[in-house]
Coordinates of all heavy atoms in Angstrom, one line a residue:
M1 N 0.8 -1.2 0.0 CA 0.0 0.0 0.0 C 0.9 1.4 0.0 O 0.6 2.2 -0.7 CB -1.0 0.0 1.2 CG -1.9 1.1 1.3 SD -3.1 0.9 0.1 CE -4.3 2.3 0.5
A2 N 1.9 1.2 0.7 CA 2.8 2.4 0.9 C 3.5 2.7 -0.5 O 3.7 3.8 -0.9 CB 3.9 2.2 1.9
D3 N 3.8 1.6 -1.2 CA 4.4 1.8 -2.6 C 3.4 2.5 -3.6 O 3.8 3.2 -4.4 CB 4.9 0.4 -3.2 CG 6.1 -0.1 -2.5 OD1 6.9 0.7 -1.8 OD2 6.2 -1.4 -2.4
S4 N 2.2 2.0 -3.4 CA 1.2 2.6 -4.3 C 1.1 4.1 -4.0 O 0.9 5.0 -5.0 CB -0.2 2.0 -4.0 OG -1.2 2.7 -4.7
N5 N 1.0 4.4 -2.7 CA 1.0 6.1 -2.4 C 2.2 6.7 -2.9 O 2.1 7.8 -3.4 CB 0.8 6.2 -0.9 CG -0.5 5.7 -0.4 OD1 -1.4 5.6 -1.1 ND2 -0.7 5.4 0.9
Q6 N 3.4 6.1 -2.7 CA 4.6 6.8 -3.2 C 4.6 7.0 -4.7 O 5.0 8.0 -5.2 CB 5.9 5.8 -2.8 CG 7.1 6.5 -3.2 CD 7.4 7.8 -2.3 OE1 6.9 8.0 -1.2 NE2 8.1 8.8 -2.9
S7 N 4.1 5.9 -5.4 CA 4.0 6.1 -6.8 C 3.0 7.1 -7.2 O 3.3 7.9 -8.2 CB 3.5 4.7 -7.4 OG 3.4 4.8 -8.8
D8 N 1.9 7.2 -6.6 CA 0.9 8.4 -6.9 C 1.6 9.7 -6.6 O 1.4 10.6 -7.4 CB -0.3 8.1 -6.1 CG -1.2 7.0 -6.5 OD1 -1.1 6.5 -7.6 OD2 -2.0 6.6 -5.7
K9 N 2.2 9.8 -5.5 CA 3.0 10.9 -5.2 C 3.9 11.4 -6.3 O 4.0 12.6 -6.6 CB 3.7 10.9 -3.9 CG 4.4 12.1 -3.3 CD 4.9 11.8 -1.9 CE 5.8 13.0 -1.5 NZ 6.4 12.7 -0.2
N10 N 4.8 10.5 -6.6 CA 5.8 10.7 -7.8 C 5.1 11.2 -9.1 O 5.7 12.1 -9.7 CB 6.6 9.6 -8.0 CG 7.7 9.3 -6.8 OD1 8.1 10.3 -6.1 ND2 8.1 8.1 -6.7
R11 N 4.0 10.5 -9.4 CA 3.4 10.8 -10.7 C 2.8 12.3 -10.5 O 2.7 13.1 -11.5 CB 2.2 9.9 -11.1 CG 2.8 8.7 -11.8 CD 1.7 7.8 -12.2 NE 1.6 7.0 -11.0 CZ 0.6 6.2 -10.8 NH1 -0.4 6.0 -11.7 NH2 0.5 5.5 -9.7
F12 N 2.3 12.7 -9.4 CA 1.8 14.0 -9.1 C 2.9 15.1 -9.1 O 2.8 16.1 -9.8 CB 1.0 14.1 -7.9 CG 0.5 15.5 -7.4 CD1 -0.6 16.0 -8.1 CD2 1.2 16.2 -6.5 CE1 -1.1 17.1 -7.7 CE2 0.6 17.6 -6.2 CZ -0.5 18.0 -6.8
L13 N 4.0 14.8 -8.5 CA 5.0 15.8 -8.4 C 5.9 15.9 -9.7 O 6.4 16.9 -10.0 CB 6.0 15.4 -7.2 CG 5.4 15.7 -5.9 CD1 6.3 15.2 -4.8 CD2 5.0 17.2 -5.6
H14 N 6.0 14.7 -10.4 CA 6.8 14.7 -11.6 C 6.0 14.1 -12.9 O 6.3 13.0 -13.3 CB 8.0 13.8 -11.4 CG 8.9 14.2 -10.2 ND1 9.5 15.3 -10.2 CD2 9.0 13.6 -9.0 CE1 10.1 15.5 -9.0 NE2 9.8 14.4 -8.2
P15 N 4.9 14.9 -13.3 CA 4.2 14.3 -14.4 C 4.9 14.4 -15.7 O 5.7 15.1 -15.9 CB 3.0 15.3 -14.4 CG 3.5 16.6 -13.9 CD 4.5 16.2 -12.8
H16 N 4.6 13.3 -16.4 CA 5.1 13.3 -17.8 C 4.0 13.2 -18.8 O 3.2 12.5 -18.6 CB 6.1 12.1 -18.0 CG 7.4 12.3 -17.3 ND1 8.5 13.0 -17.8 CD2 7.8 11.9 -15.9 CE1 9.3 13.0 -16.8 NE2 9.1 12.3 -15.8
T17 N 4.1 14.1 -20.0 CA 3.1 14.0 -20.9 C 3.6 13.1 -22.1 O 4.8 13.0 -22.2 CB 2.8 15.5 -21.4 OG1 4.0 16.1 -21.9 CG2 2.2 16.2 -20.3
R18 N 2.6 12.7 -22.9 CA 3.0 12.0 -24.0 C 3.7 12.6 -25.0 O 3.4 13.8 -25.2 CB 1.6 11.4 -24.5 CG 1.8 10.4 -25.6 CD 0.6 9.7 -26.0 NE 0.9 8.9 -27.2 CZ -0.1 8.7 -28.1 NH1 -1.3 9.3 -28.1 NH2 0.3 7.9 -29.2
Y19 N 4.6 12.1 -25.7 CA 5.3 12.8 -26.7 C 4.7 12.4 -28.0 O 4.3 11.4 -28.5 CB 6.7 12.1 -26.7 CG 7.7 12.7 -27.9 CD1 8.1 14.1 -27.8 CD2 8.1 12.0 -29.0 CE1 8.9 14.6 -28.8 CE2 9.0 12.5 -29.9 CZ 9.2 13.8 -29.8 OH 10.1 14.4 -30.7
Y20 N 4.4 13.6 -28.9 CA 3.8 13.4 -30.2 C 4.7 13.7 -31.4 O 4.3 13.7 -32.5 CB 2.6 14.5 -30.2 CG 1.5 14.0 -29.2 CD1 1.3 14.6 -28.0 CD2 0.5 13.1 -29.7 CE1 0.4 14.2 -27.2 CE2 -0.5 12.8 -28.8 CZ -0.6 13.3 -27.6 OH -1.6 13.0 -26.8
G21 N 6.0 14.0 -31.1 CA 6.8 14.4 -32.2 C 7.3 13.3 -33.0 O 6.8 12.0 -32.7
Q22 N 8.4 13.4 -33.8 CA 9.0 12.4 -34.5 C 9.8 11.4 -33.6 O 10.6 11.9 -32.8 CB 10.0 13.0 -35.5 CG 10.6 11.9 -36.4 CD 11.7 12.4 -37.3 OE1 11.9 13.7 -37.3 NE2 12.2 11.7 -38.4
V23 N 9.4 10.2 -33.6 CA 9.9 9.1 -32.6 C 11.3 8.6 -33.0 O 11.4 7.9 -33.9 CB 9.0 8.0 -32.4 CG1 9.6 7.1 -31.4 CG2 7.6 8.5 -32.0
K24 N 12.3 9.4 -32.3 CA 13.7 8.9 -32.5 C 14.4 8.9 -31.0 O 13.8 9.7 -30.3 CB 14.5 9.9 -33.4 CG 14.0 10.0 -34.8 CD 14.9 10.7 -35.8 CE 15.5 12.0 -35.3 NZ 16.0 12.8 -36.3
P25 N 15.3 8.1 -30.8 CA 15.7 8.0 -29.4 C 16.2 9.5 -28.9 O 16.0 9.9 -27.7 CB 16.9 7.2 -29.5 CG 16.5 6.3 -30.7 CD 15.9 7.0 -31.7
E26 N 17.0 10.2 -29.7 CA 17.5 11.5 -29.2 C 16.4 12.5 -29.0 O 16.4 13.3 -28.1 CB 18.5 12.1 -30.3 CG 18.0 12.4 -31.7 CD 18.1 11.1 -32.6 OE1 18.3 10.0 -32.2 OE2 18.1 11.3 -33.9
N27 N 15.2 12.4 -29.8 CA 14.1 13.2 -29.5 C 13.4 12.9 -28.2 O 12.9 13.8 -27.5 CB 13.1 13.2 -30.7 CG 13.5 13.8 -31.9 OD1 14.7 14.6 -32.0 ND2 12.8 13.7 -33.0
L28 N 13.3 11.7 -28.0 CA 12.7 11.2 -26.7 C 13.5 11.7 -25.6 O 12.9 12.1 -24.4 CB 12.4 9.7 -26.8 CG 11.5 9.2 -27.7 CD1 11.4 7.7 -27.8 CD2 10.0 9.7 -27.5
V29 N 14.8 11.4 -25.5 CA 15.7 12.0 -24.5 C 15.6 13.4 -24.2 O 15.5 13.9 -23.1 CB 17.2 11.5 -24.7 CG1 18.0 12.0 -23.8 CG2 17.2 9.9 -24.8
F30 N 15.7 14.2 -25.4 CA 15.6 15.6 -25.2 C 14.2 16.0 -24.8 O 14.1 17.0 -23.8 CB 15.8 16.3 -26.6 CG 15.7 17.8 -26.4 CD1 16.8 18.4 -25.8 CD2 14.7 18.5 -26.8 CE1 16.7 19.8 -25.6 CE2 14.7 19.9 -26.7 CZ 15.7 20.5 -26.2
N31 N 13.1 15.3 -25.1 CA 11.7 15.7 -24.5 C 11.7 15.5 -23.0 O 11.1 16.2 -22.3 CB 10.6 14.9 -25.2 CG 9.4 15.2 -24.8 OD1 8.8 14.4 -23.9 ND2 8.8 16.2 -25.2
A32 N 12.4 14.3 -22.6 CA 12.4 14.1 -21.2 C 13.3 15.2 -20.3 O 12.8 15.7 -19.3 CB 13.0 12.7 -20.9
N33 N 14.3 15.6 -21.0 CA 15.2 16.6 -20.4 C 14.3 18.0 -20.4 O 14.4 18.7 -19.4 CB 16.4 16.8 -21.2 CG 17.3 15.6 -21.1 OD1 17.2 14.8 -20.3 ND2 18.4 15.7 -22.1
L34 N 13.6 18.2 -21.5 CA 12.8 19.5 -21.5 C 11.7 19.4 -20.4 O 11.5 20.6 -19.9 CB 12.1 19.7 -22.9 CG 11.4 20.9 -23.2 CD1 12.3 22.2 -23.1 CD2 10.9 20.9 -24.6
Q35 N 11.1 18.3 -20.3 CA 10.1 18.3 -19.2 C 10.6 18.5 -17.8 O 10.1 19.1 -16.9 CB 9.4 17.0 -19.3 CG 8.4 16.9 -20.5 CD 7.5 15.6 -20.5 OE1 7.0 15.3 -19.5 NE2 7.3 15.0 -21.7
E36 N 11.8 17.8 -17.6 CA 12.5 18.1 -16.4 C 12.8 19.5 -16.1 O 12.7 20.1 -15.0 CB 13.9 17.2 -16.3 CG 14.5 17.2 -15.0 CD 15.7 16.4 -14.9 OE1 15.8 15.6 -15.8 OE2 16.5 16.5 -13.9
F37 N 13.4 20.2 -17.2 CA 13.7 21.6 -17.1 C 12.4 22.5 -16.8 O 12.5 23.3 -15.9 CB 14.2 22.1 -18.5 CG 14.3 23.6 -18.7 CD1 15.5 24.3 -18.1 CD2 13.4 24.3 -19.3 CE1 15.6 25.6 -18.3 CE2 13.5 25.7 -19.5 CZ 14.6 26.3 -18.9
T38 N 11.4 22.1 -17.4 CA 10.1 23.1 -17.1 C 9.6 22.8 -15.7 O 9.2 23.7 -14.9 CB 9.0 22.6 -18.1 OG1 8.6 21.3 -18.0 CG2 9.3 23.1 -19.5
Q39 N 9.8 21.5 -15.2 CA 9.3 21.3 -13.8 C 10.2 22.0 -12.8 O 9.8 22.6 -11.9 CB 9.4 19.7 -13.5 CG 8.4 19.0 -14.2 CD 8.6 17.5 -14.0 OE1 9.6 17.0 -13.4 NE2 7.6 16.7 -14.6
K40 N 11.5 22.0 -13.1 CA 12.5 22.6 -12.1 C 12.2 24.1 -12.2 O 12.4 24.8 -11.2 CB 13.9 22.3 -12.4 CG 14.2 20.8 -12.0 CD 15.6 20.4 -12.4 CE 16.0 19.1 -11.9 NZ 17.4 18.7 -12.1
V41 N 12.1 24.8 -13.4 CA 11.7 26.1 -13.5 C 10.6 26.6 -12.7 O 10.5 27.6 -11.9 CB 11.7 26.6 -14.9 CG1 11.2 28.0 -15.1 CG2 13.1 26.5 -15.6
G42 N 9.5 25.6 -12.8 CA 8.4 26.0 -12.0 C 8.6 25.9 -10.5 O 8.1 26.8 -9.8
Y43 N 9.4 25.0 -10.0 CA 9.8 25.0 -8.6 C 10.5 26.2 -8.3 O 10.2 26.9 -7.2 CB 10.5 23.7 -8.2 CG 9.8 22.5 -8.3 CD1 10.6 21.4 -8.8 CD2 8.5 22.4 -8.2 CE1 9.9 20.0 -8.9 CE2 7.8 21.1 -8.2 CZ 8.6 20.0 -8.6 OH 7.9 18.8 -8.7
I44 N 11.5 26.5 -9.0 CA 12.3 27.7 -8.7 C 11.4 29.1 -8.8 O 11.6 29.9 -7.8 CB 13.4 27.9 -9.7 CG1 14.4 26.7 -9.6 CG2 14.2 29.3 -9.6 CD1 15.4 26.6 -10.7
T45 N 10.6 29.2 -9.7 CA 9.7 30.4 -9.7 C 8.7 30.4 -8.5 O 8.4 31.4 -8.0 CB 8.9 30.5 -11.0 OG1 8.1 29.3 -11.2 CG2 9.9 30.7 -12.2
S46 N 8.3 29.3 -8.1 CA 7.4 29.3 -6.9 C 8.3 29.6 -5.7 O 7.7 30.4 -4.8 CB 6.9 27.8 -6.7 OG 5.9 27.5 -7.7
L47 N 9.5 29.2 -5.5 CA 10.3 29.5 -4.3 C 10.6 31.0 -4.4 O 10.6 31.6 -3.3 CB 11.6 28.7 -4.4 CG 11.5 27.2 -4.1 CD1 12.8 26.5 -4.3 CD2 11.0 27.0 -2.6
E48 N 10.8 31.6 -5.6 CA 11.1 33.1 -5.7 C 9.9 33.8 -5.3 O 10.0 34.8 -4.6 CB 11.7 33.4 -7.1 CG 12.2 34.7 -7.2 CD 11.2 35.8 -7.5 OE1 10.2 35.5 -8.1 OE2 11.5 37.0 -7.0
T49 N 8.7 33.4 -5.8 CA 7.6 34.2 -5.6 C 7.2 34.1 -4.1 O 6.8 35.0 -3.6 CB 6.4 33.5 -6.4 OG1 6.7 33.6 -7.8 CG2 5.1 34.2 -6.1
S50 N 7.5 33.1 -3.4 CA 7.1 32.9 -2.1 C 8.2 33.5 -1.1 O 8.2 33.5 0.1 CB 6.9 31.4 -1.5 OG 8.1 30.7 -1.7
G51 N 9.3 34.1 -1.7 CA 10.2 34.7 -0.9 C 11.5 33.8 -0.4 O 12.3 34.2 0.4
K52 N 11.4 32.5 -0.9 CA 12.4 31.5 -0.3 C 13.8 31.7 -1.1 O 14.8 31.3 -0.7 CB 11.9 30.2 -0.4 CG 10.6 29.8 0.1 CD 10.8 29.7 1.7 CE 9.4 29.3 2.3 NZ 9.3 29.6 3.6
L53 N 13.7 32.3 -2.3 CA 15.0 32.6 -3.1 C 14.8 34.0 -3.5 O 13.7 34.6 -3.8 CB 14.8 31.7 -4.4 CG 15.2 30.3 -4.4 CD1 15.1 29.6 -5.7 CD2 16.6 30.1 -3.9
S54 N 15.9 34.6 -3.6 CA 16.0 36.0 -4.2 C 15.9 35.9 -5.7 O 16.1 34.9 -6.4 CB 17.4 36.6 -3.8 OG 18.4 36.0 -4.5
P55 N 15.4 37.0 -6.3 CA 15.4 37.0 -7.8 C 16.7 36.7 -8.4 O 16.7 35.9 -9.5 CB 14.9 38.4 -8.1 CG 14.2 38.9 -6.9 CD 14.9 38.2 -5.8
Q56 N 17.8 37.2 -7.9 CA 18.9 36.9 -8.5 C 19.4 35.4 -8.4 O 19.8 34.8 -9.3 CB 20.2 37.7 -7.7 CG 21.6 37.5 -8.4 CD 21.6 38.1 -9.8 OE1 20.8 38.8 -10.2 NE2 22.6 37.4 -10.6
E57 N 19.1 34.7 -7.2 CA 19.3 33.3 -7.0 C 18.5 32.5 -8.1 O 19.0 31.6 -8.6 CB 19.0 32.9 -5.6 CG 20.1 33.4 -4.5 CD 19.5 33.0 -3.2 OE1 18.4 33.3 -2.8 OE2 20.3 32.5 -2.4
A58 N 17.2 32.9 -8.1 CA 16.4 32.2 -9.1 C 16.9 32.4 -10.5 O 16.9 31.4 -11.2 CB 14.9 32.8 -9.0
Y59 N 17.3 33.6 -10.9 CA 17.8 33.8 -12.2 C 19.0 32.9 -12.5 O 19.1 32.3 -13.5 CB 18.2 35.2 -12.4 CG 18.9 35.5 -13.7 CD1 18.1 35.6 -14.9 CD2 20.3 35.6 -13.8 CE1 18.9 35.9 -16.1 CE2 20.9 35.8 -15.0 CZ 20.1 36.1 -16.1 OH 20.8 36.1 -17.3
Q60 N 19.9 32.8 -11.5 CA 21.1 32.1 -11.7 C 20.8 30.6 -11.8 O 21.5 29.8 -12.6 CB 22.1 32.2 -10.6 CG 22.8 33.7 -10.5 CD 23.5 34.0 -11.7 OE1 24.2 33.2 -12.4 NE2 23.5 35.2 -12.1
Q61 N 19.9 30.0 -11.1 CA 19.6 28.7 -11.1 C 18.9 28.3 -12.4 O 19.2 27.3 -13.0 CB 18.6 28.2 -10.0 CG 19.4 28.2 -8.6 CD 18.5 27.7 -7.5 OE1 17.5 27.1 -7.8 NE2 18.9 28.0 -6.3
I62 N 18.0 29.1 -13.0 CA 17.4 29.0 -14.2 C 18.3 29.1 -15.3 O 18.2 28.3 -16.3 CB 16.2 29.9 -14.4 CG1 15.0 29.5 -13.4 CG2 15.7 29.9 -15.8 CD1 14.0 30.6 -13.3
K63 N 19.3 30.1 -15.1 CA 20.3 30.2 -16.3 C 21.2 28.9 -16.4 O 21.5 28.4 -17.5 CB 21.2 31.4 -15.9 CG 22.3 31.7 -17.0 CD 23.0 32.9 -16.5 CE 24.0 33.2 -17.6 NZ 24.9 34.4 -17.2
A64 N 21.6 28.3 -15.1 CA 22.4 26.9 -15.2 C 21.5 25.9 -15.7 O 22.0 25.1 -16.5 CB 22.7 26.7 -13.8
L65 N 20.2 25.8 -15.5 CA 19.4 24.7 -16.1 C 19.3 25.1 -17.5 O 19.2 24.0 -18.3 CB 18.0 24.7 -15.5 CG 17.8 24.3 -14.0 CD1 16.5 24.7 -13.5 CD2 18.2 23.0 -13.8
W66 N 19.2 26.3 -18.0 CA 19.1 26.5 -19.4 C 20.3 26.1 -20.2 O 20.3 25.4 -21.3 CB 18.8 27.9 -19.7 CG 18.8 28.3 -21.2 CD1 19.7 28.9 -21.9 CD2 17.7 28.0 -22.1 NE1 19.3 29.1 -23.2 CE2 18.1 28.6 -23.3 CE3 16.5 27.3 -22.0 CZ2 17.2 28.4 -24.5 CZ3 15.8 27.2 -23.1 CH2 16.1 27.6 -24.3
K67 N 21.5 26.3 -19.6 CA 22.9 25.9 -20.2 C 22.9 24.4 -20.3 O 23.4 23.8 -21.2 CB 24.0 26.3 -19.2 CG 24.2 27.9 -19.5 CD 25.4 28.3 -18.8 CE 25.7 29.8 -19.0 NZ 26.9 30.2 -18.3
Q68 N 22.4 23.7 -19.1 CA 22.3 22.3 -19.3 C 21.5 21.6 -20.4 O 21.8 20.9 -21.1 CB 21.8 21.7 -17.9 CG 22.7 21.8 -16.8 CD 22.1 21.3 -15.5 OE1 20.8 20.8 -15.4 NE2 22.8 21.4 -14.3
L69 N 20.2 22.3 -20.6 CA 19.4 21.9 -21.6 C 20.0 22.2 -23.0 O 19.9 21.4 -23.8 CB 18.0 22.7 -21.5 CG 17.0 22.3 -22.4 CD1 16.5 20.8 -22.3 CD2 15.8 23.1 -22.3
K70 N 20.6 23.3 -23.2 CA 21.2 23.6 -24.4 C 22.4 22.6 -24.7 O 22.5 22.2 -25.9 CB 21.9 25.1 -24.4 CG 20.9 26.2 -24.7 CD 21.5 27.5 -24.7 CE 22.5 27.8 -25.7 NZ 23.0 29.1 -25.9
H71 N 23.1 22.2 -23.7 CA 24.2 21.2 -23.9 C 23.6 19.9 -24.3 O 24.2 19.2 -25.1 CB 25.0 21.1 -22.5 CG 26.1 20.1 -22.6 ND1 27.3 20.3 -23.3 CD2 26.1 18.9 -22.1 CE1 28.1 19.2 -23.2 NE2 27.5 18.5 -22.5
S72 N 22.6 19.5 -23.5 CA 22.0 18.2 -24.0 C 21.4 18.2 -25.4 O 21.6 17.2 -26.1 CB 20.8 17.8 -23.1 OG 19.6 18.5 -23.3
K73 N 20.9 19.4 -25.9 CA 20.4 19.5 -27.2 C 21.5 19.4 -28.2 O 21.4 18.6 -29.2 CB 19.8 20.9 -27.6 CG 19.2 21.0 -28.9 CD 18.6 22.5 -29.0 CE 18.0 22.6 -30.5 NZ 18.6 23.9 -30.9
K74 N 22.7 19.9 -27.9 CA 24.0 19.9 -28.8 C 24.4 18.5 -28.8 O 24.8 17.9 -29.9 CB 25.0 20.9 -28.2 CG 26.1 20.9 -29.1 CD 27.2 21.9 -28.7 CE 28.3 21.9 -29.5 NZ 29.5 22.8 -28.9
E75 N 24.6 17.9 -27.6 CA 25.1 16.6 -27.5 C 24.2 15.5 -28.2 O 24.8 14.5 -28.8 CB 25.2 16.1 -26.0 CG 26.3 16.7 -25.3 CD 27.8 16.5 -25.9 OE1 28.1 15.3 -26.0 OE2 28.5 17.5 -26.3
L76 N 22.9 15.7 -28.3 CA 22.0 14.8 -28.9 C 22.0 15.0 -30.3 O 21.3 14.2 -31.1 CB 20.6 14.9 -28.2 CG 20.5 14.3 -26.8 CD1 19.2 14.7 -26.1 CD2 20.7 12.9 -26.8
G77 N 22.4 16.1 -30.9 CA 22.3 16.4 -32.2 C 21.1 16.9 -32.7 O 20.6 16.7 -33.9
I78 N 20.2 17.4 -31.8 CA 18.8 17.9 -32.2 C 18.9 19.1 -33.1 O 19.7 20.1 -32.9 CB 18.0 18.2 -30.9 CG1 18.0 17.0 -30.0 CG2 16.6 18.7 -31.4 CD1 17.3 15.9 -30.4
D79 N 18.2 19.1 -34.3 CA 18.1 20.3 -35.2 C 19.5 20.6 -35.9 O 19.6 21.7 -36.4 CB 17.6 21.5 -34.4 CG 16.1 21.5 -34.2 OD1 15.6 20.6 -34.7 OD2 15.7 22.3 -33.3
Q80 N 20.3 19.6 -36.0 CA 21.5 19.9 -36.8 C 21.2 19.5 -38.1 O 20.5 18.5 -38.4 CB 22.7 19.0 -36.2 CG 23.2 19.6 -34.8 CD 24.4 18.8 -34.4 OE1 24.9 17.8 -34.9 NE2 25.0 19.3 -33.3
E81 N 21.8 20.2 -39.0 CA 21.7 19.9 -40.5 C 22.6 18.5 -40.9 O 23.7 18.4 -40.5 CB 22.3 21.0 -41.3 CG 21.6 22.2 -41.2 CD 20.2 22.2 -41.8 OE1 19.9 21.5 -42.9 OE2 19.2 22.9 -41.3
P82 N 21.7 17.6 -41.6 CA 22.6 16.4 -42.0 C 23.7 16.8 -42.9 O 23.6 17.8 -43.6 CB 21.5 15.6 -42.5 CG 20.4 16.5 -43.0 CD 20.5 17.7 -42.1
P83 N 24.8 16.0 -42.8 CA 25.9 16.3 -43.9 C 25.3 16.1 -45.3 O 24.6 15.3 -45.6 CB 26.9 15.3 -43.5 CG 26.4 14.4 -42.6 CD 24.9 14.9 -42.1
T84 N 25.8 17.1 -46.1 CA 25.4 17.0 -47.6 C 26.3 16.2 -48.3 O 27.5 16.2 -48.2 CB 25.4 18.4 -48.1 OG1 26.6 19.1 -48.0 CG2 24.3 19.3 -47.4
S85 N 25.8 15.4 -49.3 CA 26.7 14.6 -50.1 C 27.0 15.4 -51.3 O 26.2 16.2 -51.9 CB 25.9 13.3 -50.4 OG 24.6 13.4 -50.8
P86 N 28.3 15.2 -51.8 CA 28.8 15.8 -52.9 C 28.1 15.5 -54.3 O 27.5 14.6 -54.5 CB 30.3 15.5 -52.9 CG 30.6 14.4 -52.0 CD 29.3 14.2 -51.2

């Protein structure tokens, strides 16, 4: 019973939506990274709004998350032009 409650709690705190884009492994991984980014940004903005974080701290944390997301996009090769053949 406790496992069921924990599972429900995790689904509530960390919801994942279905992916409707082109199904490729790199797209699925990036989508998961993007969903995690948005959840963390939501938490940070809530903490800033409630006075638990200063605006500067919130900005720095979101900026660091954005850099991580950009790095994952680059590493996964999302939106890169395919090599042209001669």
Side-chain angles (χ1 to χ4, degrees):
M1 183 72 175
D3 289 336
S4 176
N5 289 338
Q6 186 66 31
S7 178
D8 289 342
K9 180 180 175 183
N10 285 337
R11 274 183 277 168
F12 176 75
L13 292 175
H14 307 290
H16 287 275
T17 57
R18 185 170 176 213
Y19 180 68
Y20 290 97
Q22 183 180 11
V23 179
K24 297 189 321 190
E26 60 271 18
N27 289 352
L28 295 173
V29 170
F30 183 72
N31 181 264
N33 293 343
L34 184 60
Q35 287 188 43
E36 182 179 352
F37 170 80
T38 60
Q39 289 170 358
K40 288 181 178 180
V41 168
Y43 294 146
I44 292 167
T45 56
S46 294
L47 289 169
E48 192 277 331
T49 300
S50 66
K52 307 281 184 197
L53 281 178
S54 72
Q56 185 61 26
E57 289 172 312
Y59 174 81
Q60 291 301 326
Q61 288 185 22
I62 292 171
K63 184 177 177 180
L65 290 172
W66 179 250
K67 285 182 178 182
Q68 289 174 0
L69 186 64
K70 280 179 65 173
H71 179 74
S72 80
K73 180 180 179 233
K74 182 179 178 183
E75 289 296 310
L76 292 166
I78 305 292
D79 289 340
Q80 289 183 354
E81 293 292 323
T84 56
S85 42

